[in-house]
Amino acid sequence: MKLKKYALLLFILTSTFSYAQEKILYKQIDSIKLYMEVHKPKNMNTSTKYPAIVFFFGGGWNGGSVYHFKPQADYFVKRGMVCFLVDYRVEKRQKTTPFESLKDAKSAIRFVRKNAQKFNIDPTKIVGAGGSAGGHLAAATALIDAYNEKQDNLEISCKPNALVLFNPVIDNGPGGYGYQRIKNEYKNFSPLHNIKKGAPPTILFLGTNDALIPVETVKYYKLVMDKVKSRCDLHLFKDQKHGFFNYRFFKYYKETLSKSDSFLQSIGFLNKNPIIEIE
């Protein structure tokens, strides 16, 4: 009995003095339940509207973990953002296609925006972020009009207001990643083929030795973004491979995180302070 009381007290103390976290059901399709983890800054001021960042894990639409971007989320929470780690349907777990993954990503952004007041966030300052196939999903929520869940309220925009993309799968056309699964649907699914005026400001990271995404692809992506007069900051990392930005490669994790922070400052989503050490 005493042990149970101690455990309860420890939970209360942890909930009070650490960064607030909660797991929320954002979507259900038949028996499939999809959750997102919400990470909030300490001592949030309920009269303040905070910027938000929604992370989509990588894994080729086949697998992956919701905790892929937890280190980045831990940092941005300290910087005053509300962070969301989103689960979505993948082939290995739900036997689904990349199209269902995109539908879920769109549903997630709509859920965050719909509940902006509950989360104390500014619905005009929602950042979509992700790596590899998760980077595709973040970009696609902003650029792709097709693949919406029937139960979604389409009057609520699924388009993020900015994008932070880590070696994203942005070309699904012939010769691009995923084409064998997408086929001719690439015209409606591939971010590179659907860039249009009003595309949100974007920062994009890629290693020059990425075996999945050619440097020429991201350079062309930036070129098209420039043509539609949308900002695209492209950062290439010499000799780095796919996934170089992850926490285990701390040097590049730190550098990409720092550049992301500066980018978000430059578009008015973050202030310079508080200055947080990346660790």
Side-chain angles (χ1 to χ4, degrees):
M1 187 66 179
K2 287 183 179 180
L3 185 60
K4 289 183 179 180
K5 287 183 178 179
Y6 174 77
L8 178 60
L9 177 61
L10 182 61
F11 172 79
I12 293 170
L13 289 174
T14 303
S15 300
T16 303
F17 295 108
S18 68
Y19 299 110
Q21 302 175 23
E22 57 182 324
K23 188 175 180 180
I24 293 180
L25 177 70
Y26 77 90
K27 182 176 182 178
Q28 182 167 356
I29 300 294
D30 297 323
S31 62
I32 298 173
K33 295 182 178 181
L34 297 171
Y35 295 86
M36 60 175 65
E37 279 200 5
V38 188
H39 296 249
K40 301 177 183 178
K42 281 194 300 186
N43 305 318
M44 289 183 71
N45 185 340
T46 56
S47 64
T48 299
K49 299 302 179 186
Y50 294 79
I53 183 164
V54 183
F55 288 102
F56 299 101
F57 58 82
W61 312 293
N62 292 315
S65 168
V66 71
Y67 298 109
H68 183 180
F69 283 98
K70 189 173 185 301
Q72 287 87 348
D74 288 344
Y75 170 80
F76 279 119
V77 164
K78 294 174 185 175
R79 285 287 280 122
M81 300 187 79
V82 179
C83 298
F84 300 84
L85 303 176
V86 176
D87 194 15
Y88 58 88
R89 285 174 288 177
V90 292
E91 198 277 332
K92 287 184 179 177
R93 289 194 286 270
Q94 288 89 16
K95 310 303 180 187
T96 50
T97 72
F99 305 119
E100 281 74 42
S101 299
L102 178 51
K103 288 180 181 181
D104 294 343
K106 288 186 163 193
S107 297
I109 298 289
R110 288 190 174 106
F111 180 87
V112 169
R113 183 166 275 123
K114 177 183 177 181
N115 292 281
Q117 186 172 356
K118 172 185 175 181
F119 295 129
N120 275 104
I121 66 171
D122 184 340
T124 69
K125 291 183 177 180
I126 297 175
V127 181
S132 194
H136 164 271
L137 296 179
T141 58
L143 300 172
I144 302 301
D145 293 327
Y147 312 109
N148 297 283
E149 202 66 70
K150 290 181 180 179
Q151 68 190 41
D152 280 6
N153 180 356
L154 301 189
E155 292 184 5
I156 301 172
S157 174
C158 67
K159 301 181 186 300
N161 307 102
L163 294 172
V164 177
L165 307 177
F166 302 87
N167 51 236
V169 174
I170 48 174
D171 177 14
N172 310 118
Y177 184 88
Y179 176 72
Q180 294 304 316
R181 297 169 70 185
I182 305 303
K183 306 277 184 177
N184 286 334
E185 284 297 306
Y186 80 87
K187 297 173 185 178
N188 301 314
F189 187 82
S190 173
L192 180 62
H193 295 81
N194 287 275
I195 297 171
K196 54 181 99 47
K197 184 177 180 180
T202 299
I203 187 168
L204 196 159
F205 304 102
L206 185 74
T208 61
N209 199 24
D210 193 310
L212 300 178
I213 300 154
V215 171
E216 293 75 15
T217 297
V218 294
K219 285 184 175 179
Y220 186 66
Y221 190 93
K222 175 175 170 52
L223 177 65
V224 179
M225 287 283 283
D226 290 343
K227 284 184 177 180
V228 301
K229 295 181 168 44
S230 285
R231 176 176 171 180
C232 183
D233 295 1
L234 174 59
H235 297 278
L236 299 174
F237 290 77
K238 186 177 179 181
D239 298 329
Q240 294 310 301
K241 298 180 180 180
H242 200 69
F244 74 99
F245 61 89
N246 287 308
Y247 186 79
R248 65 182 180 275
F249 307 114
F250 186 76
K251 175 184 176 181
Y252 299 108
Y253 161 79
K254 182 175 181 179
E255 190 170 346
T256 55
L257 199 53
S258 177
K259 290 183 183 300
S260 299
D261 190 303
S262 297
F263 167 74
L264 294 175
Q265 287 183 52
S266 72
I267 61 173
F269 282 38
L270 288 178
N271 298 319
K272 184 175 182 180
N273 293 314
I275 297 174
I276 304 297
E277 183 179 357
I278 299 174
E279 55 187 7

